[in-house]
Amino acid sequence: MLKLLFISLLLSLLVGSASAGFLISLDWVTDYREEHLWIILFLPIAGFSVSWVYLRYGKNVEQGNNLLIDTIHDGGERIPFRMAPLIYIGTILTHLFGGSAGREGTALQMAGAIADQFSKPFRLSKEDRSTLLLSAIAGGFGAVFGTPLAGMVFALEFNHLGKLNYRAIFPVLMTAVLSDQVCKLWNAEHTAYYIDIVPKLTFAGIAYSLLAGIIFGLCATVFIRFMHEASKLWKRYIVFSPLRALLAGLFVVSGVYLLGTTKYIGLGIPMIELSFEQQQLPYDFALKLLFTVVTLSAGFKGGEVTPLFFIGATLGNALSLFIPLQMGLLAGMGFVAVFAGATNTPIACTLMAIELFGADSAVYVAIACVVSYIFSGKLSIYTSQRMT
């Protein structure tokens, strides 16, 4: 345990710094893209290039988060360090040129690749190596979103549905907390979200939360199925992977110019913020889902989680048209509940909501997250996730 805690301290410094650098880079490329929209025209070329580099140099790390899960459970060869720079560069290029992607996948893969380099020098057992990787995942998640408690539980929850590894809980917690603190020391900014009005809990409010949770869970199911089916179709009809990314890039560019807006590309944080405050178009969530599935299923790099935040928040915003709960509350519930359904992590998502929005909304978001998890079934965006 002492050895793992020592490694966790070192890991926190590295993961927190890497996450900060990633967040700062992401802010810069997003601002640059929005100020120079012509650059979106080069998205197909960027996709072709990123996919070619992975085809040439990254075949053994292309599994991404699923490789982390398999290594946690089965051990095997050390995760190549090249995973970290490859996913970082791939994600930055995706966002610079206008792909619809997130950031959690990048943070987790960078953290995991960094952490596994310590497994051989410190002669870690298979069990201790798994704990180290779980700690890295907690640190990456906690630092990139500024939610260390959610990071701890996410790491324990996401790799094995129905089973938490309590032996690892202390180093996982410390890595999540310390990585977040290191990230903040670098002045990496996290978006603040607010639910302005949380009504007193009533039986009617509980019923409305159950209904919203069902809809969020069904939305998560649609996202997962579309992702899996789109990936299969790309591979079935286009063998050369760089060509898939090129065609997907053409689709996204065409969509941006036909719709006359860039709100469905990139992270989409401005739209997420607006969903808490103003009524948005009732189909915003569907268009973001489409853009994200096309981008990620074809081989562009990034995570799914922030797009899921967008999808959930805008869906909650749309539900406020007929569910009599406050718009901001429904947006916040959707923000975490669609994510919970897509990753099978209802406890982590409830904690994330408490860290982001405050404890006043805890019961509402907990109901939405748990119901969404139930109604999305055992499907997951992480295909290697183990089931108990």
Side-chain angles (χ1 to χ4, degrees), residues 27 42 51-52 62 72 85 87 110 125 194 206-207 213 234 279 289 291-292 307 310 330 339-340 383:
D27 286 341
F42 294 95
S51 188
W52 183 87
E62 196 168 14
I72 289 169
I87 190 63
M110 288 171 60
S125 65
Y194 302 98
I206 294 171
W234 283 119
Q279 197 69 57
L289 188 151
F291 274 76
T292 303
F310 182 119
L330 281 166
F339 172 32
T383 55

Side-chain angles (χ1 to χ4, degrees), residues 90-113:
T91 304
I92 290 298
L93 290 177
T94 296
H95 283 280
L96 175 62
F97 292 101
S100 177
R103 52 193 173 183
E104 126 283 342
T106 305
L108 301 191
Q109 291 171 51
M110 288 171 60

Side-chain angles (χ1 to χ4, degrees), residues 65-80:
N65 291 337
N66 290 308
L67 175 61
L68 298 181
I69 295 173
D70 288 337
T71 305
I72 289 169
H73 288 288
D74 305 326
E77 294 295 322
R78 182 170 58 182
I79 297 172

Side-chain angles (χ1 to χ4, degrees), residues 33-34 37 40 100 256 259-272 274 279-285 287-288 291 310 314:
R33 184 192 69 233
E34 292 302 307
L37 291 180
I40 297 173
S100 177
V256 168
L259 294 170
T261 179
T262 61
K263 65 182 181 180
Y264 303 117
I265 63 174
L267 292 171
I269 288 176
M271 275 293 294
I272 298 174
L274 287 173
Q279 197 69 57
Q280 302 300 311
L281 297 173
Y283 51 80
D284 279 335
F285 76 94
L287 288 175
K288 181 62 174 179
F291 274 76
F310 182 119
T314 51

Side-chain angles (χ1 to χ4, degrees), residues 25-238:
S25 302
L26 207 51
D27 286 341
W28 186 87
V29 297
T30 299
D31 291 341
Y32 186 87
R33 184 192 69 233
E34 292 302 307
E35 293 170 4
H36 306 83
L37 291 180
W38 54 266
I39 202 172
I40 297 173
L41 292 170
F42 294 95
L43 180 63
I45 297 174
F48 185 94
S49 302
V50 169
S51 188
W52 183 87
V53 169
Y54 264 83
L55 181 65
R56 182 69 176 83
Y57 301 104
K59 282 188 175 181
N60 55 347
V61 297
E62 196 168 14
Q63 284 182 275
N65 291 337
N66 290 308
L67 175 61
L68 298 181
I69 295 173
D70 288 337
T71 305
I72 289 169
H73 288 288
D74 305 326
E77 294 295 322
R78 182 170 58 182
I79 297 172
F81 181 74
R82 74 169 68 96
M83 172 184 269
L86 282 176
I87 190 63
Y88 170 79
I89 294 170
T91 304
I92 290 298
L93 290 177
T94 296
H95 283 280
L96 175 62
F97 292 101
S100 177
R103 52 193 173 183
E104 126 283 342
T106 305
L108 301 191
Q109 291 171 51
M110 288 171 60
I114 291 169
D116 210 27
Q117 307 314 306
F118 295 111
S119 58
K120 284 190 177 180
F122 284 93
R123 298 181 181 179
L124 298 182
S125 65
K126 179 183 175 182
E127 192 172 14
D128 286 344
R129 183 188 181 198
S130 296
T131 298
L132 179 67
L133 288 173
L134 290 173
S135 299
I137 289 165
F141 190 98
V144 83
F145 293 120
T147 55
L149 293 181
M152 173 192 71
V153 179
F154 178 82
L156 298 174
E157 218 177 0
F158 97 116
N159 73 98
H160 199 139
L161 177 60
K163 181 179 179 182
L164 299 181
N165 182 0
Y166 285 102
R167 179 186 178 276
I169 196 167
F170 187 59
V172 167
L173 171 63
M174 293 308 299
T175 306
V177 171
L178 294 174
S179 295
D180 177 51
Q181 290 299 307
V182 170
C183 185
K184 289 175 180 175
L185 288 175
W186 287 102
N187 294 320
E189 295 184 1
H190 295 98
T191 307
Y193 301 100
Y194 302 98
I195 298 177
D196 54 354
I197 300 174
V198 178
K200 183 179 178 180
L201 191 66
T202 63
F203 286 110
I206 294 171
Y208 294 138
S209 298
L210 290 168
L211 174 60
I214 292 171
I215 297 172
F216 294 141
L218 295 176
C219 179
T221 300
V222 170
F223 180 85
I224 296 166
R225 289 193 179 279
F226 273 31
M227 278 290 295
H228 293 340
E229 292 304 317
S231 181
K232 290 177 184 177
L233 288 173
W234 283 119
K235 292 175 182 178
R236 181 183 304 168
Y237 293 107
I238 303 176

